[in-house]
Amino acid sequence: MSWLSLCFLSCDSSSDEIKSEVEQEVIEEEEIIEEEQEVEEEIEEVKVEGVDYFLPNIDLGNWKVTLPIGSPDEVNPPEIIDYATDERLLPFMYNDSTDGALVFYTSPGSSTANSSYSRTELREQIVPGSNSTNWTFAQGGRMKGTLSVPEISVDDGGDFHRTLVMQIHGRLTNEQRDLIGENDNNAPPMLKIYWQKERVRVLTKKLKNINATDEEILYTDAWEDNESHTFSEVVGNDKFTLEVVVSEGRMEIILNDSESVVYNDIHIEKWGVFENYFKAGNYLQTIENNAFAYVKYYELEVMH
């Protein structure tokens, strides 16, 4: 073989090697570019709370919820903490991440023993998972929530139905229950706060006989509805803030930090015999077919 032939063979081989190296470098560069693009896409998919989505500012560690299904069904802490993935709760209690709300939906269905109405409603539990530890007015308490009623059905006359969004419910101690021969610890609700006709309406209880004995006032039928109070502001479907502050012989309800109503009469004083717990959510006050209500809570806090 001639020198020239060797040169050609050598040159061709070198050229092929260089070409191969260049092609490999191009492939590696393309792979790097693809990896960088994938990383960029992953970064773009990471959403930021408060920017891309919003969550409600509510700690459910001391609340249980009653649902309008089952006997009715209840979900206690700690299970309620996982409400966002709990199939029992998803139709009735879920997040609206567009505005940071915890949504409570209800329609006529299962009801509790002392009511014909259905609810998706939270019940305070000072000791998580137990209803036995509660508080008195002498011990005091405060509940504050930011909420709205974005949708609610209307009756046959075209008027909005109403729903309860907050309560203070009474409870007999075991000793009181046994003293009057009752088979449960139920006592009347001292406070009901309604969304009604686009306003906030407050309803309390009063004694039928202010001279009733300490034992007589333990009976549910010793109490009747007091005159209600409707705040002047029209809240409609907009957000509003409600605050309930109780202390010995006194209860105040405040709407949007601007209007308030105070109860500090003999009826509140006598009420001090009962234990109490807070409630918040959506307690629809109708059993009409096709009725429904949505209540959104953005913030909810309780202090004692």
Side-chain angles (χ1 to χ4, degrees):
M1 184 179 293
S2 68
W3 174 87
L4 185 58
S5 297
L6 289 171
C7 180
F8 277 128
L9 288 171
S10 176
C11 290
D12 286 345
S13 176
S14 176
S15 175
D16 289 342
E17 289 177 2
I18 292 172
K19 183 178 179 181
S20 178
E21 290 176 1
V22 171
E23 289 176 347
Q24 183 62 34
E25 289 178 359
V26 170
I27 291 172
E28 290 176 354
E29 287 179 1
E30 289 177 348
E31 289 177 348
I32 292 171
I33 291 171
E34 288 176 0
E35 289 176 359
E36 290 176 346
Q37 288 175 342
E38 288 176 1
V39 170
E40 288 177 359
E41 288 175 2
E42 287 178 4
I43 292 173
E44 289 177 0
E45 289 175 0
V46 174
K47 295 183 178 181
V48 180
E49 181 182 346
V51 177
D52 302 297
Y53 68 95
F54 304 86
L55 293 176
N57 184 23
I58 299 173
D59 180 0
L60 293 171
N62 291 91
W63 298 95
K64 76 171 182 179
V65 65
T66 302
L67 305 175
I69 55 174
S71 295
D73 288 349
E74 295 182 343
V75 179
N76 290 270
E79 287 80 11
I80 193 174
I81 302 299
D82 298 320
Y83 69 92
T85 57
D86 191 324
E87 292 185 358
R88 295 171 297 174
L89 289 167
L90 287 178
F92 308 106
M93 178 179 164
Y94 55 89
N95 287 334
D96 183 345
S97 60
T98 64
D99 61 358
L102 179 56
V103 182
F104 296 88
Y105 167 78
T106 198
S107 59
S110 296
S111 60
T112 54
N114 299 294
S115 174
S116 57
Y117 300 133
S118 300
R119 67 185 86 199
T120 304
E121 186 182 36
L122 297 172
R123 192 269 200 214
E124 178 190 15
Q125 291 186 321
I126 292 176
V127 176
S130 171
N131 293 335
S132 298
T133 303
N134 301 282
W135 50 270
T136 64
F137 270 49
Q139 293 168 322
R142 170 182 172 270
M143 176 167 63
K144 187 172 185 178
T146 301
L147 63 150
S148 68
V149 182
E151 293 183 68
I152 192 167
S153 53
V154 297
D155 61 23
D156 293 338
D159 294 323
F160 287 115
H161 287 125
R162 62 178 183 164
T163 190
L164 268 168
V165 296
M166 281 187 178
Q167 295 191 71
I168 293 178
H169 212 289
R171 189 179 189 276
L172 297 170
T173 65
N174 290 342
E175 293 76 16
Q176 291 170 336
R177 176 201 63 198
D178 295 341
L179 176 65
I180 62 174
E182 290 290 339
N183 56 11
D184 61 33
N185 297 83
N186 185 63
M190 171 43 76
L191 174 67
K192 294 180 177 180
I193 304 181
Y194 297 87
W195 185 98
Q196 183 171 340
K197 297 181 179 179
E198 301 188 278
R199 286 183 163 87
V200 175
R201 175 174 171 251
V202 176
L203 184 64
T204 62
K205 292 290 184 182
K206 66 178 181 179
L207 275 170
K208 295 177 182 177
N209 174 16
I210 60 172
N211 296 314
T213 65
D214 289 346
E215 180 178 339
E216 289 172 338
I217 66 177
L218 297 177
Y219 290 92
T220 298
D221 60 9
W223 299 83
E224 62 183 354
D225 287 343
N226 204 345
E227 292 182 9
S228 66
H229 173 85
T230 300
F231 287 106
S232 63
E233 182 177 350
V234 178
V235 297
N237 305 119
D238 297 332
K239 280 187 188 180
F240 59 95
T241 299
L242 278 173
E243 185 173 9
V244 179
V245 183
V246 295
S247 57
E248 186 166 12
R250 188 179 190 275
M251 178 172 66
E252 181 176 14
I253 300 92
I254 307 163
L255 172 64
N256 284 334
D257 297 321
S258 58
E259 288 186 74
S260 75
V261 57
V262 175
Y263 298 90
N264 56 358
D265 53 25
I266 186 63
H267 306 290
I268 294 294
E269 180 182 332
K270 293 281 189 177
W271 185 263
V273 69
F274 291 108
E275 291 187 344
N276 306 272
Y277 52 89
F278 286 120
K279 305 193 80 175
N282 183 1
Y283 184 13
L284 184 61
Q285 303 292 289
T286 180
I287 56 172
E288 289 186 13
N289 291 332
N290 302 317
F292 68 89
Y294 291 88
V295 175
K296 288 185 170 184
Y297 266 84
Y298 306 88
E299 296 182 2
L300 179 64
E301 60 178 353
V302 167
M303 297 178 62
H304 291 290

